[in-house]
Amino acid sequence: MRDLLLKIRNSEYLSNNEILSIKIALLLVVLFLVSAVSIPFSLILTATTVIQVIVPVAFLLTYGVAWILLVSGAPRTAMHFSILSFFILMGSFLSFSNPIYIYLIVFAILSVIIYYQEGFPFFVYGTILTLFGVAYMLFNVDLFGGDTTQTSETMQIIIYQVTLLLFYVYFLLYFINSEVANDRYYTEYLSSKKLTQKYLENMVRLKDTKIESEYLTPMHERPSFQQALTELSTFLGEMNGKPAKEMQELVEFYFYLHDIDIDEAMHQKTLKYKTKETMRQLKKYLLNANNEFTELAYELLAQTQEGLHPDVKNYETALDSILRFETDRIIAGAMIYRYLKQEVTQLDKWGRVAESLEHGEIKSIFQSKAIKDYLNDRDIGVFLDNEELYKKM
């Protein structure tokens, strides 16, 4: 909770669990205020001794567990106990309250569940609560004033039930749509993340190749950088109560990690846990690896570069939009095939761009969905119908 409050104070990014923790904390405060007023009245007006004992004890138990779980860093479990506390609070009203108030309490608890913005809890607790509300009104028609099916009070009960059902069904469809959309966005994010990582791996490999081919000294091996990092780390460490020698050893260990395979070293059983933990923490700051630091560095660098204007239409890729005559498109398709077959564009086992595509690999490209941005179905058909001619190019 302390870290959460510091994040809020510093306006940092909050995760879904942290946002849920804030919601639970607010609702638990509201629940305390409501229960402080309602439970004493229920104890006075309820004649049944068992209910007078069970309701307060059950409420205090679930309410206390919800706070303990929230403070312990288990917000999702705390959410379930907070909802149970609302259910118990509603149960304290059943024996003496006006039925219309029970109906309003059902809506209030449904609103609390909706406020959490969680699909599964709404499906479980919302379904139970809606069925209870409909059944309660159905089996207590006389309490609502409806003695016969012809009275206006009975019609009001039907309206209450339909309203509750429509309210439940609307938000159920809303949560289903949200879950489907979130799943789609998450899938697209993973696909984009995977593609970005491939680009970053190639960029890191290209940078290492350039340093090696031009006989440059890597940044982590330059004395000026090593001295600056050592002095800065020592100063910051002493400011935070860390011994200078300890910080200097940490910096030396950081430079050493650039020259080893950390993933392989982490599997060594002889290493102490503290050493592995230090390696894991420093891994994301290595200058010669594809890590979070490298991704952030390139992202910041990309923001300083001016990209293509969205209104520029000079970069058309579809041949049928560029070339007017079919003969020209056939020649262009043949040129694309020849380029893919003869130009060196693929990485070899050493990570160097030193290989070209085979005919089968080119064919799979021509049959992929991505090729639709360049060739239409007729252009692709020309290639598939004349494969033997293309192989001779």
Side-chain angles (χ1 to χ4, degrees):
M1 290 297 294
R2 177 179 175 275
D3 294 338
L4 178 58
L5 293 175
L6 290 176
K7 277 194 170 186
I8 297 173
R9 189 187 69 177
N10 298 329
S11 300
E12 294 185 20
Y13 170 78
L14 298 178
S15 64
N16 291 334
N17 282 342
E18 290 170 337
I19 294 174
L20 181 60
S21 298
I22 297 174
K23 292 181 178 180
I24 295 172
L26 293 175
L27 286 176
L28 287 178
V29 172
V30 173
L31 182 60
F32 173 79
L33 297 176
V34 174
S35 62
V37 176
S38 60
I39 289 183
F41 277 102
S42 66
L43 294 178
I44 296 172
L45 299 176
T46 302
T48 307
T49 307
V50 177
I51 296 178
Q52 290 177 329
V53 175
I54 292 178
V55 169
V57 171
F59 176 80
L60 291 175
L61 180 62
T62 55
Y63 184 81
V65 171
W67 269 117
I68 293 173
L69 291 171
L70 180 62
V71 175
S72 301
R76 297 200 173 275
T77 310
M79 173 186 65
H80 293 286
F81 278 91
S82 68
I83 295 174
L84 291 178
S85 298
F86 276 100
F87 273 91
I88 295 172
L89 189 64
M90 181 185 68
S92 65
F93 287 92
L94 291 178
S95 60
F96 67 90
S97 182
N98 191 310
I100 192 65
Y101 294 146
I102 302 299
Y103 175 73
L104 295 177
I105 292 173
V106 169
F107 268 98
I109 298 178
L110 275 176
S111 300
V112 169
I113 300 173
I114 293 169
Y115 176 68
Y116 282 137
Q117 291 290 305
E118 296 286 337
F120 180 74
F122 179 81
F123 175 74
V124 176
Y125 298 114
T127 302
I128 295 174
L129 197 61
T130 302
L131 293 177
F132 166 79
V134 172
Y136 180 79
M137 287 181 282
L138 184 65
F139 291 108
N140 294 277
V141 175
D142 54 333
L143 297 178
F144 284 86
D147 297 328
T148 65
T149 57
Q150 302 298 323
T151 63
S152 59
E153 288 81 1
T154 304
M155 291 301 300
Q156 290 179 2
I157 294 176
I158 296 175
I159 293 174
Y160 292 156
Q161 291 176 326
V162 172
T163 303
L164 180 60
L165 287 172
L166 290 177
F167 186 82
Y168 167 76
V169 171
Y170 171 80
F171 280 100
L172 179 63
L173 294 176
Y174 165 78
F175 281 112
I176 292 175
N177 179 70
S178 298
E179 291 295 330
V180 172
N182 291 337
D183 183 71
R184 183 174 68 251
Y185 294 149
Y186 183 67
T187 302
E188 292 177 355
Y189 166 77
L190 291 180
S191 177
S192 175
K193 185 73 174 179
K194 185 177 181 181
L195 184 62
T196 302
Q197 288 300 317
K198 288 184 178 180
Y199 278 118
L200 288 172
E201 289 174 4
N202 290 334
M203 293 169 69
V204 171
R205 190 181 294 112
L206 178 62
K207 183 183 70 173
D208 293 339
T209 303
K210 183 177 181 181
I211 290 175
E212 182 180 354
S213 61
E214 297 181 4
Y215 301 100
L216 300 175
T217 303
M219 179 64 69
H220 64 276
E221 294 181 3
R222 298 179 185 178
S224 58
F225 175 77
Q226 293 180 349
Q227 181 180 358
L229 183 59
T230 302
E231 293 178 356
L232 182 61
S233 301
T234 303
F235 172 75
L236 294 177
E238 290 180 338
M239 291 290 292
N240 290 277
K242 299 288 184 180
K245 183 178 180 181
E246 180 181 338
M247 297 304 301
Q248 292 170 2
E249 291 177 351
L250 181 63
V251 173
E252 292 178 2
F253 186 60
Y254 167 73
F255 291 135
Y256 168 74
L257 293 179
H258 286 81
D259 301 323
I260 66 172
D261 188 341
I262 295 184
D263 294 329
E264 182 179 347
M266 290 282 286
H267 289 87
Q268 294 182 9
K269 298 181 179 180
T270 56
L271 286 180
K272 296 181 179 179
Y273 172 79
K274 185 177 180 180
T275 304
K276 291 184 178 181
E277 186 65 17
T278 304
M279 292 172 63
R280 185 188 64 81
Q281 294 176 355
L282 294 178
K283 180 181 177 181
K284 57 184 177 182
Y285 300 110
L286 298 182
L287 302 178
N288 61 345
N290 179 17
N291 48 40
E292 298 176 10
F293 177 81
T294 303
E295 183 177 356
L296 178 61
Y298 281 116
E299 183 178 347
L300 294 175
L301 181 62
Q303 293 179 4
T304 64
Q305 307 298 316
E306 183 178 357
L308 297 176
H309 194 276
D311 296 333
V312 175
K313 298 181 179 179
N314 296 331
Y315 297 92
E316 180 64 57
T317 58
L319 292 183
D320 53 355
S321 298
I322 300 173
L323 303 174
R324 181 177 180 183
F325 299 105
E326 185 174 352
T327 305
D328 295 336
R329 294 201 300 272
I330 294 175
I331 296 174
M335 292 175 63
I336 293 174
Y337 176 86
R338 182 179 176 86
Y339 173 82
L340 294 175
K341 187 176 181 180
Q342 294 190 351
E343 291 294 326
V344 176
T345 59
Q346 305 303 302
L347 301 175
D348 61 9
K349 62 180 180 179
W350 305 107
R352 299 173 300 184
V353 182
E355 295 184 357
S356 59
L357 293 172
E358 300 291 339
H359 175 79
E361 295 173 319
I362 300 175
K363 183 178 179 180
S364 63
I365 295 176
F366 272 66
Q367 293 177 318
S368 65
K369 293 182 179 180
I371 202 65
K372 297 292 185 179
D373 294 333
Y374 305 91
L375 307 176
N376 57 26
D377 293 336
R378 186 170 181 81
D379 298 330
I380 298 173
V382 170
F383 166 75
L384 296 177
D385 294 339
N386 300 274
E387 283 191 63
E388 298 301 325
L389 292 176
Y390 278 85
K391 290 181 180 179
K392 297 178 181 179
M393 290 184 180

PDB file of all heavy atoms in Angstrom, residues 231-242 247:
ATOM      1  N   GLU A 231      32.567   6.688 -11.109  1.00  0.00           N
ATOM      2  CA  GLU A 231      32.480   7.862 -10.240  1.00  0.00           C
ATOM      3  C   GLU A 231      31.028   8.221  -9.932  1.00  0.00           C
ATOM      4  O   GLU A 231      30.688   8.550  -8.783  1.00  0.00           O
ATOM      5  CB  GLU A 231      33.191   9.046 -10.900  1.00  0.00           C
ATOM      6  CG  GLU A 231      34.692   8.858 -11.031  1.00  0.00           C
ATOM      7  CD  GLU A 231      35.369  10.027 -11.727  1.00  0.00           C
ATOM      8  OE1 GLU A 231      34.618  10.951 -12.165  1.00  0.00           O
ATOM      9  OE2 GLU A 231      36.598  10.036 -11.842  1.00  0.00           O
ATOM     10  N   LEU A 232      30.177   8.161 -10.936  1.00  0.00           N
ATOM     11  CA  LEU A 232      28.768   8.508 -10.720  1.00  0.00           C
ATOM     12  C   LEU A 232      28.090   7.503  -9.797  1.00  0.00           C
ATOM     13  O   LEU A 232      27.341   7.887  -8.887  1.00  0.00           O
ATOM     14  CB  LEU A 232      28.047   8.558 -12.072  1.00  0.00           C
ATOM     15  CG  LEU A 232      26.567   8.950 -12.042  1.00  0.00           C
ATOM     16  CD1 LEU A 232      26.402  10.351 -11.470  1.00  0.00           C
ATOM     17  CD2 LEU A 232      25.963   8.878 -13.441  1.00  0.00           C
ATOM     18  N   SER A 233      28.366   6.211  -9.995  1.00  0.00           N
ATOM     19  CA  SER A 233      27.760   5.173  -9.149  1.00  0.00           C
ATOM     20  C   SER A 233      28.259   5.282  -7.712  1.00  0.00           C
ATOM     21  O   SER A 233      27.484   5.111  -6.764  1.00  0.00           O
ATOM     22  CB  SER A 233      28.082   3.784  -9.711  1.00  0.00           C
ATOM     23  OG  SER A 233      27.585   3.655 -11.035  1.00  0.00           O
ATOM     24  N   THR A 234      29.545   5.570  -7.561  1.00  0.00           N
ATOM     25  CA  THR A 234      30.101   5.717  -6.213  1.00  0.00           C
ATOM     26  C   THR A 234      29.462   6.894  -5.483  1.00  0.00           C
ATOM     27  O   THR A 234      29.103   6.797  -4.301  1.00  0.00           O
ATOM     28  CB  THR A 234      31.623   5.907  -6.278  1.00  0.00           C
ATOM     29  OG1 THR A 234      32.209   4.789  -6.965  1.00  0.00           O
ATOM     30  CG2 THR A 234      32.216   6.003  -4.882  1.00  0.00           C
ATOM     31  N   PHE A 235      29.299   8.009  -6.189  1.00  0.00           N
ATOM     32  CA  PHE A 235      28.695   9.198  -5.588  1.00  0.00           C
ATOM     33  C   PHE A 235      27.246   8.936  -5.183  1.00  0.00           C
ATOM     34  O   PHE A 235      26.836   9.241  -4.052  1.00  0.00           O
ATOM     35  CB  PHE A 235      28.775  10.357  -6.579  1.00  0.00           C
ATOM     36  CG  PHE A 235      28.011  11.579  -6.143  1.00  0.00           C
ATOM     37  CD1 PHE A 235      28.501  12.399  -5.139  1.00  0.00           C
ATOM     38  CD2 PHE A 235      26.792  11.876  -6.736  1.00  0.00           C
ATOM     39  CE1 PHE A 235      27.795  13.520  -4.726  1.00  0.00           C
ATOM     40  CE2 PHE A 235      26.074  12.996  -6.322  1.00  0.00           C
ATOM     41  CZ  PHE A 235      26.567  13.823  -5.321  1.00  0.00           C
ATOM     42  N   LEU A 236      26.467   8.355  -6.094  1.00  0.00           N
ATOM     43  CA  LEU A 236      25.061   8.075  -5.783  1.00  0.00           C
ATOM     44  C   LEU A 236      24.934   7.033  -4.673  1.00  0.00           C
ATOM     45  O   LEU A 236      24.024   7.106  -3.842  1.00  0.00           O
ATOM     46  CB  LEU A 236      24.336   7.596  -7.042  1.00  0.00           C
ATOM     47  CG  LEU A 236      24.188   8.631  -8.171  1.00  0.00           C
ATOM     48  CD1 LEU A 236      23.529   8.003  -9.390  1.00  0.00           C
ATOM     49  CD2 LEU A 236      23.372   9.831  -7.703  1.00  0.00           C
ATOM     50  N   GLY A 237      25.837   6.050  -4.679  1.00  0.00           N
ATOM     51  CA  GLY A 237      25.803   5.036  -3.632  1.00  0.00           C
ATOM     52  C   GLY A 237      26.060   5.622  -2.257  1.00  0.00           C
ATOM     53  O   GLY A 237      25.377   5.288  -1.287  1.00  0.00           O
ATOM     54  N   GLU A 238      27.062   6.500  -2.163  1.00  0.00           N
ATOM     55  CA  GLU A 238      27.363   7.126  -0.881  1.00  0.00           C
ATOM     56  C   GLU A 238      26.223   8.034  -0.427  1.00  0.00           C
ATOM     57  O   GLU A 238      25.975   8.169   0.777  1.00  0.00           O
ATOM     58  CB  GLU A 238      28.664   7.922  -0.995  1.00  0.00           C
ATOM     59  CG  GLU A 238      29.898   7.031  -1.149  1.00  0.00           C
ATOM     60  CD  GLU A 238      31.173   7.847  -1.252  1.00  0.00           C
ATOM     61  OE1 GLU A 238      31.081   9.036  -1.629  1.00  0.00           O
ATOM     62  OE2 GLU A 238      32.260   7.295  -0.964  1.00  0.00           O
ATOM     63  N   MET A 239      25.551   8.665  -1.373  1.00  0.00           N
ATOM     64  CA  MET A 239      24.406   9.499  -1.023  1.00  0.00           C
ATOM     65  C   MET A 239      23.281   8.664  -0.407  1.00  0.00           C
ATOM     66  O   MET A 239      22.481   9.174   0.387  1.00  0.00           O
ATOM     67  CB  MET A 239      23.885  10.228  -2.265  1.00  0.00           C
ATOM     68  CG  MET A 239      24.821  11.300  -2.803  1.00  0.00           C
ATOM     69  SD  MET A 239      24.916  12.748  -1.711  1.00  0.00           S
ATOM     70  CE  MET A 239      23.275  13.410  -1.901  1.00  0.00           C
ATOM     71  N   ASN A 240      23.209   7.394  -0.784  1.00  0.00           N
ATOM     72  CA  ASN A 240      22.172   6.500  -0.264  1.00  0.00           C
ATOM     73  C   ASN A 240      22.696   5.547   0.804  1.00  0.00           C
ATOM     74  O   ASN A 240      22.050   4.534   1.103  1.00  0.00           O
ATOM     75  CB  ASN A 240      21.561   5.696  -1.413  1.00  0.00           C
ATOM     76  CG  ASN A 240      20.715   6.562  -2.338  1.00  0.00           C
ATOM     77  OD1 ASN A 240      19.557   6.831  -2.075  1.00  0.00           O
ATOM     78  ND2 ASN A 240      21.311   7.014  -3.447  1.00  0.00           N
ATOM     79  N   GLY A 241      23.868   5.832   1.334  1.00  0.00           N
ATOM     80  CA  GLY A 241      24.392   5.045   2.438  1.00  0.00           C
ATOM     81  C   GLY A 241      25.116   3.775   2.042  1.00  0.00           C
ATOM     82  O   GLY A 241      25.346   2.897   2.884  1.00  0.00           O
ATOM     83  N   LYS A 242      25.507   3.634   0.769  1.00  0.00           N
ATOM     84  CA  LYS A 242      26.225   2.446   0.312  1.00  0.00           C
ATOM     85  C   LYS A 242      27.726   2.704   0.347  1.00  0.00           C
ATOM     86  O   LYS A 242      28.181   3.782  -0.092  1.00  0.00           O
ATOM     87  CB  LYS A 242      25.804   2.065  -1.114  1.00  0.00           C
ATOM     88  CG  LYS A 242      24.326   1.733  -1.269  1.00  0.00           C
ATOM     89  CD  LYS A 242      23.988   0.410  -0.629  1.00  0.00           C
ATOM     90  CE  LYS A 242      22.535   0.041  -0.879  1.00  0.00           C
ATOM     91  NZ  LYS A 242      22.168  -1.248  -0.263  1.00  0.00           N
ATOM     92  N   MET A 247      30.040  -0.239  -4.236  1.00  0.00           N
ATOM     93  CA  MET A 247      29.536   0.280  -5.512  1.00  0.00           C
ATOM     94  C   MET A 247      30.557   0.076  -6.621  1.00  0.00           C
ATOM     95  O   MET A 247      30.190  -0.241  -7.765  1.00  0.00           O
ATOM     96  CB  MET A 247      29.202   1.763  -5.366  1.00  0.00           C
ATOM     97  CG  MET A 247      28.088   2.067  -4.365  1.00  0.00           C
ATOM     98  SD  MET A 247      26.552   1.167  -4.738  1.00  0.00           S
ATOM     99  CE  MET A 247      26.200   1.754  -6.400  1.00  0.00           C
TER     100      MET A 247
END
